[in-house]
Amino acid sequence: MRILVVGDGKVGHTLAENLAREEHSVTIVDQNESVLHRSEDTLDVMCVRGNGANASTLMDAGVDKADIIIAATASDETNMLCCLIAKRLGAKHSIARIRDPEYNESLNLLQRELGIDMAINPERATALEISRLLRFPFASNIESFAKGRVELVEFRAHEDDVVVGVPLRDLGRKLHGLPHVLYAAVERDGAVTIPNGDFIIRAGDRVHVVADMVTITAYFRFLGKNSLRVKNVMLLGGGRISYYLAKMIAPMGIRVSIVEIDELKAIALSESLPDVKILHGDGTEQEFLEQEGLKQMDAFAALTDRDEENLMTGLYAVRQGVPKVIVKNNRVAYEDIISAMGLDSIISPQSITCANILHYVRARVGGHGTKVEKLYRLVNGKAEALEFIAREGDSYIGVPLKDLNIRKGTLIAVIVRKGRVIVPFGGDHIEAGDSVLIIACESGIGDLNEVIRK
Amino acid sequence: MNKRLVIRLQSSILLIEAAAMLPSLLVSIIYRDGATHAFLKTIGLILLFALPMHYFSRPIEKNLRAKEGFVTVGSAWVLLSVFGGLPFVFSGLLPRFEDAVFEAVSGFTTTGASVLTQFDDAPRGIMFWRSFTHWIGGMGVLVLTLALLPQMTGRTSHLARAESPGPSFSKVLPKMGDSAKIMYLIYAALTMLQFVLLVFVGRMSLFDAAIHAMSTAGTGGFSNYGSSVAAFNSSAVDVIITVFMIVFGINFALYYRLLIGDFKSFFKNEELRWYLGIALFSIVAVSLLIMPQYGNFFSALRYGSFQVSSIISTTGFVTADFDLWPSAAKMIILLLMFIGSCAGSTAGGMKVVRITLMSKNISREISKTFQPRKVQVVHLDGKGVDNSMLFQISLFICAYVILTLIGAFVVSLDGRYDMLSNFTACITCVSNVGPGFGAVGPTRNFAGYSTFSKYVLSLLMLCGRLELFPILVLFHPDVWRKG
């Protein structure tokens, strides 16, 4: 597919990197020569220098033949204009990053009038992700598949967890009443394994389990992790993420306090969020945090613009015994180091934006066979969870799984048939129309037929 | 440095060279020229050498950084030339190793300078291979590798950039593999067109037409006759080759623009206009200058235009001995040797775009001396050019001239020829032209130089073809240090 990425910032570059690796023809447009050089050096893409909202620049970049245009410059207006022009010049789909809350209110109208097929607000998407983590605090990451029927949950195994030290195949026999979930992937020391029956979970492993929501909840209750319910949350930094997040979770009965260092900003927040407790002060001052009852909080989220500050206060909150600590970190590269320090829930607006856009793009990859409905990256992209819809006429339809050739390093995690979730065994088979969730250790799978063959 | 990856790439390139010998092998078998064994031996040797390299160097990390890119390209061309010279040795045509290497380097770099003195009974397969090296060397062996091997590594742009002539490298399509493929397709189509014209209009034999079409396409200049294109003594042949020499000196990315119907950017291209302008001016000036020697304007134009387009496109075919021309005409020829053709073509020289930008930069500096507060950006094709790019170009031109002068000094240590011969031998090698003046003039060749000088000249040809840096980095100690 021909894809045009306008804006070569962190998001643009990451998108281009992923899309080029998936064999798409990617062209990047940006005004800054030096960032283009970096992309040209490291990626197999074409770079065009110029303003992304300028028709002749877009024509140089081949917009008339583009299947998708992704506008991810720093300016909302440029992004909207870019999509509008690109659509008029013949681009088939357009995606724009729009982050200003003011535009967000009239987003539907803007999208319709400007021909934007997908508008993504990184801060809002991040807030959504955090709100999910707050609802299920035992998880360090949650992703839902098959229209929310299947959840993939990541948690860190502790020494006293009952599942630790027992081979997976013996779990059901030894622990009566343990709900049956699928162990999709385990990360240990930075390496990802798709476990088999002999696998033994050790303390410190990051375990990914898959099942339907009810089973997952029961599973964590069995492990004794579900006693916690978040009632009090402290958010550090009064930026857009905090704003969206407070709006989402305050109606759910969660008491939110937001710490903001800038007084004017704090006042403005208090104006727009009357139900939320706004605190004016420096979040890096430990005394101040203690005074405001950090120890009593069920959850703490560090969401300032400075990664270092977020990390340090996050670590401090962990030390103070806050059960759920979420940290915003823009530099994806350090994720391994940070999680080694004990912070599990690390959130990066850029990766969330990229992941959302990639979902959209992958769903539009045409061609034969099945296509990816949804893709979720596990552990920094070392493994992927992919959702496909099985198509009529494919060779694997109706054949028991044990008779199929399944690609090495991949796992058929879940089959969803008519709303029913099946954690499959060798005797199960796939029917046309089923949603199939695959876990894979490699990236770039674009078709269910690549994974299973008769 | 990621040595495994570099070695892996070298082995792939050598295997492609072995495959590239198959057409020559076929020619050798068809004409029963007695050189078949030379190709079989060479291919066998390459396989013996490259297959173990291939199997014992599975790269752990597949990222190709700038350093590895340059080292790969530089050393690949050295290896290619060494193995490419073996058929000359095995067939007994050039029994001395330094002669064979010189001939192969001259072939791959599309120089066309020769040490061959025996043309009449030379095996046809070997002559075909000689011109075939021009053809693949012109567009680039690594570009061919990129076109043929899908997804060779993640980062391939360093390879193509190190091999492609011109100050900046731009792909015509987002994916490197697609870009390389379309370039080779355009190249092959143009070569085929010339071949057909030479056969049907120029009345050449199939073999002669193939040799000359490939040599013209790579802007190389190897002919299977000692007197070069003059041997045909046909104005039709002269005209066809004159036109195609100019055609192959044009940036191939522009042909792609033509192909997709974008005529505007073809005809508005500044480098192309300068290139054609310089060529046209030189043709007219040279033709007028040599008119007294040829009696009438039309034969002066025929020989003048052929020689001018042969030199500006850095091909090096000859139909007249320009060493006998008046010195003003000779001077134009000498200047053209430095300039060369467009970036992104198969030709050598400094490239017209560099000369264009350099002239604009000089004129800006002049106007700055009396208008110190003037702010002016140098433009090319309506777009501003970075100062860092202008700096790089100045540096390149300086390095180019210095390298030529150093080369001329080293070659002079031979003590065999005069200054003009030595100097033009070096410039003709660095610019990948072929003939020079004096002892290396259009009717003479490079056989008289010492072994040492032949290696020096071979190195100059490689430096010129790869635009200095991929070869020069091989001599930088930091490249070979760990870390």
Side-chain angles (χ1 to χ4, degrees):
Chain A
M1 229 169 19
R2 294 169 206 236
I3 299 170
L4 219 64
V5 178
V6 180
D8 196 7
K10 274 186 210 152
V11 170
H13 185 84
T14 314
L15 282 172
E17 185 180 355
N18 279 297
L19 294 170
R21 203 191 304 136
E22 284 160 32
E23 297 273 292
H24 297 296
S25 290
V26 182
T27 306
I28 305 180
V29 178
D30 200 294
Q31 280 182 301
N32 183 334
E33 185 118 37
S34 65
V35 296
L36 286 181
H37 273 308
R38 180 198 56 168
S39 297
E40 207 162 43
D41 268 2
T42 52
L43 310 175
D44 192 5
V45 299
M46 191 155 92
C47 293
V48 174
R49 191 181 156 200
N51 184 341
N54 177 334
S56 77
T57 305
L58 287 174
M59 283 308 281
D60 276 352
V63 71
D64 47 330
K65 294 191 188 77
D67 294 297
I68 296 181
I69 178 155
I70 303 169
T73 70
S75 140
D76 287 352
E77 292 79 8
T78 308
N79 292 343
M80 289 193 264
L81 198 54
C82 171
C83 284
L84 174 73
I85 296 170
K87 263 288 178 72
R88 294 280 154 86
L89 290 175
K92 290 193 191 72
H93 297 276
S94 65
I95 303 173
R97 180 166 68 169
I98 298 174
R99 56 199 334 172
D100 193 326
E102 308 245 347
Y103 294 138
N104 236 57
E105 281 156 20
S106 48
L107 200 59
N108 279 336
L109 175 86
L110 280 175
Q111 263 185 267
R112 201 176 52 238
E113 291 301 315
L114 299 177
I116 299 171
D117 298 300
M118 179 202 187
I120 177 135
N121 180 335
E123 282 80 18
R124 221 183 114 79
T126 309
L128 200 67
E129 186 90 12
I130 298 175
S131 79
R132 241 191 312 189
L133 288 175
L134 290 178
R135 267 185 286 158
F136 307 107
F138 47 81
S140 46
N141 264 313
I142 303 167
E143 186 77 4
S144 55
F145 291 89
K147 301 191 180 83
R149 288 193 184 94
V150 179
E151 305 269 343
L152 188 149
V153 176
E154 177 189 344
F155 70 100
R156 187 188 284 254
H158 285 282
E159 258 166 71
D160 46 357
D161 284 346
V162 284
V163 290
V164 168
V166 183
L168 294 184
R169 80 169 83 243
D170 300 336
L171 276 178
R173 241 183 316 118
K174 288 203 173 161
L175 304 165
H176 285 286
L178 179 74
H180 182 71
V181 296
L182 184 102
Y183 297 87
V186 176
E187 187 199 6
R188 181 179 293 166
D189 306 326
V192 179
T193 345
I194 291 181
N196 58 15
D198 301 323
F199 192 87
I200 299 172
I201 295 172
R202 282 198 233 134
D205 286 355
R206 298 178 72 151
V207 185
H208 300 251
V209 291
V210 177
D212 59 290
M213 203 56 240
V214 179
T215 318
I216 286 272
T217 318
Y219 177 79
F220 282 102
R221 194 175 300 130
F222 190 89
L223 292 190
K225 284 180 191 268
N226 208 13
S227 54
L228 187 91
R229 240 189 73 82
V230 174
K231 292 195 190 85
N232 297 301
V233 182
M234 184 184 277
L235 308 179
L236 190 67
R240 287 175 191 164
I241 300 178
S242 298
Y243 169 80
Y244 288 125
L245 183 59
K247 275 212 138 173
M248 282 173 204
I249 59 175
M252 289 159 51
I254 297 176
R255 277 196 294 281
V256 185
S257 32
I258 299 180
V259 179
E260 169 58 47
I261 194 165
D262 182 75
E263 192 172 2
L264 289 176
K265 239 179 162 180
I267 293 170
L269 269 178
S270 161
E271 240 172 73
S272 52
L273 298 168
D275 303 337
V276 173
K277 181 171 159 195
I278 311 289
L279 302 165
H280 168 224
D282 185 351
T284 54
E285 267 176 45
Q286 306 187 344
E287 210 186 300
F288 169 72
L289 290 180
E290 262 170 63
Q291 248 175 35
E292 295 305 332
L294 178 65
K295 278 188 178 162
Q296 284 76 48
M297 289 293 157
D298 302 314
F300 176 81
L303 307 169
T304 73
D305 284 338
R306 293 164 59 159
D307 289 354
E308 295 81 2
E309 224 162 78
N310 293 341
L311 290 180
M312 295 316 292
T313 44
L315 284 174
Y316 178 67
V318 170
R319 185 71 59 82
Q320 292 297 310
V322 177
K324 180 75 194 171
V325 176
I326 298 163
V327 160
K328 185 184 111 177
N329 176 45
N330 284 327
R331 275 169 231 147
V332 182
Y334 294 127
E335 217 150 273
D336 282 347
I337 304 170
I338 299 163
S339 69
M341 294 192 308
L343 289 170
D344 288 340
S345 294
I346 304 149
I347 288 269
S348 143
Q350 270 108 23
S351 3
I352 291 170
T353 310
C354 287
N356 276 322
I357 293 177
L358 287 173
H359 290 165
Y360 182 92
V361 172
R362 286 188 182 113
R364 262 136 206 92
V365 176
H368 51 85
T370 43
K371 52 190 183 179
V372 185
E373 288 291 313
K374 191 159 190 194
L375 183 144
Y376 172 55
R377 263 162 220 255
L378 312 172
V379 278
N380 298 340
K382 285 172 196 149
E384 286 182 348
L386 305 105
E387 186 184 334
F388 296 95
I389 305 283
R391 294 285 179 85
E392 192 77 56
D394 282 347
S395 62
Y396 49 78
I397 298 284
V399 183
L401 292 184
K402 61 176 189 290
D403 298 333
L404 288 169
N405 280 319
I406 297 172
R407 183 155 154 168
K408 244 182 140 184
T410 56
L411 172 77
I412 299 177
V414 177
I415 300 170
V416 180
R417 182 174 306 148
K418 297 190 181 94
R420 203 161 53 87
V421 177
I422 304 164
V423 175
F425 288 95
D428 289 312
H429 63 274
I430 298 171
E431 283 177 15
D434 287 359
S435 281
V436 183
L437 183 66
I438 302 283
I439 309 287
C441 270
E442 58 195 313
S443 65
I445 294 173
D447 191 328
L448 195 51
N449 285 310
E450 289 172 30
V451 182
I452 30 182
R453 229 168 276 123
K454 198 177 170 184
Chain B
M1 193 165 58
N2 190 344
K3 284 196 181 124
R4 279 165 176 258
L5 180 61
V6 174
I7 292 173
R8 175 76 164 206
L9 288 171
Q10 307 283 9
S11 67
S12 309
I13 292 158
L14 280 178
L15 291 174
I16 287 199
E17 183 177 30
M21 283 187 184
L22 296 178
S24 310
L25 178 68
L26 198 69
V27 170
S28 171
I29 293 169
I30 290 171
Y31 288 105
R32 297 169 195 278
D33 63 356
T36 311
H37 68 98
F39 287 112
L40 290 176
K41 275 184 203 162
T42 311
I43 292 171
L45 258 177
I46 291 179
L47 293 181
L48 209 65
F49 196 74
L51 286 179
M53 262 165 82
H54 197 75
Y55 285 109
F56 292 114
S57 66
R58 288 195 191 283
I60 309 159
E61 197 201 340
K62 281 199 162 186
N63 270 343
L64 192 72
R65 280 178 286 269
K67 186 160 99 174
E68 279 111 22
F70 276 103
V71 170
T72 304
V73 172
S75 47
W77 277 73
V78 173
L79 271 182
L80 276 174
S81 308
V82 169
F83 282 98
L86 292 180
F88 298 116
V89 178
F90 291 142
S91 67
L93 189 65
L94 293 168
R96 298 178 61 90
F97 186 65
E98 73 269 13
D99 285 341
V101 169
F102 183 94
E103 200 76 5
V105 171
S106 173
F108 279 113
T109 60
T110 75
T111 307
S114 183
V115 289
L116 198 61
T117 45
Q118 280 298 103
F119 282 89
D120 295 338
D121 48 357
R124 290 198 151 190
I126 299 290
M127 297 313 268
F128 189 88
W129 170 241
R130 215 165 143 253
S131 291
F132 196 75
T133 57
H134 276 335
W135 195 76
I136 55 174
M139 190 53 91
V141 186
L142 284 123
V143 174
L144 181 65
T145 315
L146 291 176
L148 294 180
L149 300 182
Q151 287 286 300
M152 196 168 56
T153 56
R155 301 174 171 185
T156 45
S157 62
H158 291 300
L159 292 177
R161 185 168 313 148
E163 200 181 54
S164 300
S168 65
F169 166 75
S170 61
K171 293 183 256 186
V172 296
L173 288 171
K175 279 201 269 182
M176 181 62 76
D178 295 348
S179 257
K181 256 177 231 137
I182 194 95
M183 284 298 158
Y184 255 98
L185 276 177
I186 294 172
Y187 186 46
L190 283 172
T191 313
M192 208 58 211
L193 179 66
Q194 190 194 0
F195 172 76
V196 169
L197 285 175
L198 283 177
V199 171
F200 290 102
V201 182
R203 308 243 160 248
M204 271 193 185
S205 72
L206 288 179
F207 181 70
D208 288 351
I211 294 272
H212 287 86
M214 289 192 301
S215 291
T216 313
T219 66
F222 277 150
S223 169
N224 51 337
Y225 295 97
S227 52
S228 190
V229 181
F232 299 100
N233 196 17
S234 140
S235 47
V237 168
D238 284 6
V239 170
I240 294 169
I241 292 182
T242 303
V243 170
F244 274 92
M245 285 190 296
I246 293 285
V247 162
F248 284 108
I250 293 172
N251 190 342
F252 278 71
L254 289 179
Y255 292 128
Y256 176 74
R257 307 303 317 175
L258 272 190
L259 209 62
I260 60 169
D262 182 4
F263 298 100
K264 199 174 130 211
S265 47
F266 183 87
F267 292 107
K268 293 258 169 189
N269 186 273
E270 242 179 285
E271 185 187 20
L272 179 66
R273 291 173 161 208
W274 276 67
Y275 168 63
L276 295 178
I278 294 171
L280 206 64
F281 169 81
S282 308
I283 287 172
V284 173
V286 166
S287 303
L288 290 175
L289 284 166
I290 61 172
M291 201 157 68
Q293 263 179 35
Y294 291 91
N296 66 61
F297 182 74
F298 284 103
S299 43
L301 185 66
R302 173 180 161 191
Y303 292 109
S305 63
F306 188 94
Q307 264 50 242
V308 165
S309 46
S310 167
I311 300 300
I312 193 173
S313 67
T314 72
T315 310
F317 280 141
V318 285
T319 54
D321 187 355
F322 54 71
D323 215 7
L324 305 173
W325 287 357
S327 58
K330 273 159 78 170
M331 204 57 217
I332 291 177
I333 296 285
L334 182 66
L335 289 176
L336 292 181
M337 282 184 188
F338 275 103
I339 296 173
S341 299
C342 300
S345 70
T346 59
M350 286 175 184
K351 306 289 170 321
V352 174
V353 65
R354 288 203 180 90
I355 303 292
T356 309
L357 286 172
M358 188 73 176
S359 323
K360 288 185 175 186
N361 199 13
I362 290 172
S363 110
R364 175 173 74 160
E365 280 310 303
I366 293 170
S367 81
K368 259 191 182 171
T369 52
F370 60 87
Q371 297 164 297
R373 290 186 161 238
K374 189 176 173 193
V375 175
Q376 189 186 347
V377 174
V378 171
H379 281 76
L380 184 78
D381 293 325
K383 285 185 183 137
V385 179
D386 251 20
N387 274 334
S388 66
M389 165 82 88
L390 294 173
F391 175 74
Q392 276 172 20
I393 287 171
S394 317
L395 211 70
F396 178 85
I397 292 179
C398 286
Y400 200 92
V401 173
I402 291 171
L403 187 78
T404 311
L405 293 175
I406 292 176
F409 169 71
V410 175
V411 170
S412 299
L413 294 175
D414 256 14
R416 299 196 187 180
Y417 298 123
D418 61 297
M419 245 171 88
L420 180 71
S421 307
N422 289 335
F423 177 68
T424 55
C426 287
I427 178 60
T428 202
C429 281
V430 174
S431 286
N432 302 144
V433 180
F437 291 99
V440 291
T443 56
R444 318 275 291 272
N445 69 26
F446 285 71
Y449 274 111
S450 70
T451 305
F452 174 68
S453 292
K454 278 173 191 160
Y455 283 127
V456 171
L457 291 169
S458 303
L459 196 64
L460 288 182
M461 290 190 265
L462 284 173
C463 282
R465 169 62 182 85
L466 299 178
E467 305 215 310
L468 314 185
F469 298 107
I471 292 294
L472 296 183
V473 291
L474 296 180
F475 295 97
H476 200 287
D478 277 0
V479 164
W480 302 105
R481 277 193 199 124
K482 277 194 173 169

